[in-house]
Amino acid sequence: MATLLHIDSAVFPEGSASRDITATFVKSWLEQHPEGKVVYRDLAATPLPHLDIAAVSAGPEDALRAELAAELAEADAVLIGAPMYNFTISSTLKAWLDQVIIVGHNAGPDSTVGSTPFTIVASRGGSYAPGTPREDFEFVQNYLEKVLTGMFGATEIDFIVPELTLAHSKPEMAELIPLADASRTKAQEEATQKAKALAARHAA
């Protein structure tokens, strides 16, 4: 029985593009692999404390850090909803990363997490794609790729990027609604296919 670790970090519980896409992923995962287990953390509903000197000093002996590290170690796949806030990830997701990354335990040259596949739904209100005016403001994909490869040695990181999610709510973006809808549809399809592929890999 394979385990999926599902992390959501969107502030809003309703109307969130990242939550919508991660829900699609989980639904597809369970349809393909009904015996699979899903461990869920909603970092907005139940935020983790920021890292402090006591937790750093305790390392894997800290109860919370040990719990989070065990969830990650036991996961056969990790799904992260990572909407963009002020050009980067939410502070709640950063807190999870700071707590779960324990150098000398699960991070560093001997990390046992490197082969775990990570799928990240990196939604954003505008577009920060290569060639766009705000390309160099993108600190979600860039950061997460660096931290996951640099700390865990992750070798399989896939990004699903629904863009222009504010088009329906901002009049000045109204002309971009068709592009926003197309991006959302593509993200849903990618989530479905990626979940099926990962579930099939572990169900085989």
Side-chain angles (χ1 to χ4, degrees):
M1 180 178 70
T3 298
L4 173 68
L5 176 59
H6 173 196
I7 307 290
D8 271 332
S9 64
V11 170
F12 298 103
E14 304 294 335
S16 162
S18 68
R19 288 178 184 271
D20 184 38
I21 305 302
T22 59
T24 294
F25 185 106
V26 173
K27 180 175 181 289
S28 180
W29 164 278
L30 291 174
E31 286 175 348
Q32 183 74 23
H33 186 31
E35 298 81 13
K37 177 182 177 182
V38 178
V39 175
Y40 181 54
R41 280 194 177 268
D42 185 337
L43 300 179
T46 309
L48 298 171
H50 290 296
L51 197 62
D52 59 21
I53 189 170
V56 171
S57 300
E61 302 306 314
D62 178 84
L64 175 60
R65 301 191 80 192
E67 178 183 350
L68 297 173
E71 288 177 353
L72 181 59
E74 292 165 7
D76 296 289
V78 180
L79 170 67
I80 301 175
M84 177 184 282
Y85 294 111
N86 300 320
F87 310 122
T88 190
I89 63 173
S90 67
S91 62
T92 55
L93 181 54
K94 180 61 164 62
W96 178 79
L97 287 165
D98 288 342
Q99 295 282 8
V100 80
I101 294 170
I102 308 174
V103 177
H105 177 66
N106 62 3
D110 299 321
S111 173
T112 58
V113 186
S115 60
T116 304
F118 289 82
T119 303
I120 300 165
V121 179
S123 59
R124 61 276 316 274
S127 179
Y128 301 81
T132 61
R134 287 197 163 186
E135 174 184 357
D136 60 347
F137 284 75
E138 205 293 317
F139 298 106
V140 174
Q141 290 175 257
N142 289 337
Y143 170 71
L144 289 174
E145 183 174 21
K146 296 300 183 186
V147 76
L148 294 175
T149 57
M151 302 307 293
F152 293 136
T155 57
E156 186 176 346
I157 306 172
D158 290 296
F159 287 95
I160 298 172
V161 187
E163 297 186 311
L164 306 169
T165 61
L166 292 176
H168 283 274
S169 60
K170 288 186 172 291
E172 63 270 27
M173 295 177 67
E175 65 180 16
L176 299 174
I177 287 176
L179 291 176
D181 290 345
S183 180
R184 184 74 159 254
T185 298
K186 180 183 178 185
Q188 294 280 11
E189 293 171 350
E190 289 177 346
T192 297
Q193 294 305 315
K194 182 63 181 178
K196 283 183 178 179
L198 286 174
R201 182 193 304 179
H202 293 292

